[in-house]
Amino acid sequence: MPTTDDEQQLIDQYDSGTVPQSQCHSEAYKFLQRPECSEHWWCQHYDLASKLLEVLQHYDDHALPRELWRKMCLQLGRCAACIQSYHAAKEELRLHYSDQPAVKQLLS
């Protein structure tokens, strides 16, 4: 699925570093909750969904990571293409955050 203008704008916000990460995460999650996006985050919205994996390192501290994890698990149980994309995203994060123990544990 091609990236929409709204989705690309969110990706650009992440990449620019001019918007706080917490705001980027919140807006990305809202975008992925749209009815047309809510079923296949990983195979259709990989660039945005993969950025949300960073939120999961705060799983014990906040409600959003727990809700995000629950939704990801539901999707990964339904679509083989989503599973493949999810594993690719985990590998990218493993390389990017190799020095952070909390992320290492999450991605193992």
Side-chain angles (χ1 to χ4, degrees):
M1 170 179 265
T3 303
T4 65
D5 290 341
D6 289 344
E7 185 175 5
Q8 188 59 53
Q9 184 179 13
L10 291 170
I11 293 165
D12 292 344
Q13 280 182 351
Y14 268 105
D15 295 341
S16 73
T18 59
V19 177
Q21 285 286 21
S22 59
Q23 182 179 341
C24 289
H25 294 321
S26 178
E27 291 177 13
Y29 186 62
K30 286 178 191 173
F31 176 87
L32 292 171
Q33 292 300 306
R34 293 178 180 180
E36 67 272 17
C37 303
S38 65
E39 293 296 318
H40 294 276
W41 292 359
W42 294 100
C43 67
Q44 295 180 2
H45 306 285
Y46 175 85
D47 289 333
L48 202 53
S50 64
K51 293 182 182 307
L52 280 177
L53 277 179
E54 295 176 21
V55 172
L56 296 178
Q57 67 181 311
H58 305 290
Y59 185 86
D60 293 330
D61 302 330
H62 304 285
L64 176 60
R66 289 189 296 273
E67 177 66 16
L68 181 63
W69 181 253
R70 187 185 70 74
K71 292 205 182 254
M72 285 181 183
C73 288
L74 286 172
Q75 292 177 15
L76 294 172
R78 297 179 183 154
C79 176
C82 281
I83 292 169
Q84 290 174 331
S85 295
Y86 169 75
H87 284 289
K90 279 179 53 173
E91 187 56 35
E92 286 179 27
L93 280 180
R94 235 183 242 114
L95 295 172
H96 186 71
Y97 291 103
S98 62
D99 61 334
Q100 296 184 18
V103 177
K104 277 176 133 176
Q105 181 180 8
L106 176 70
L107 297 174
S108 61

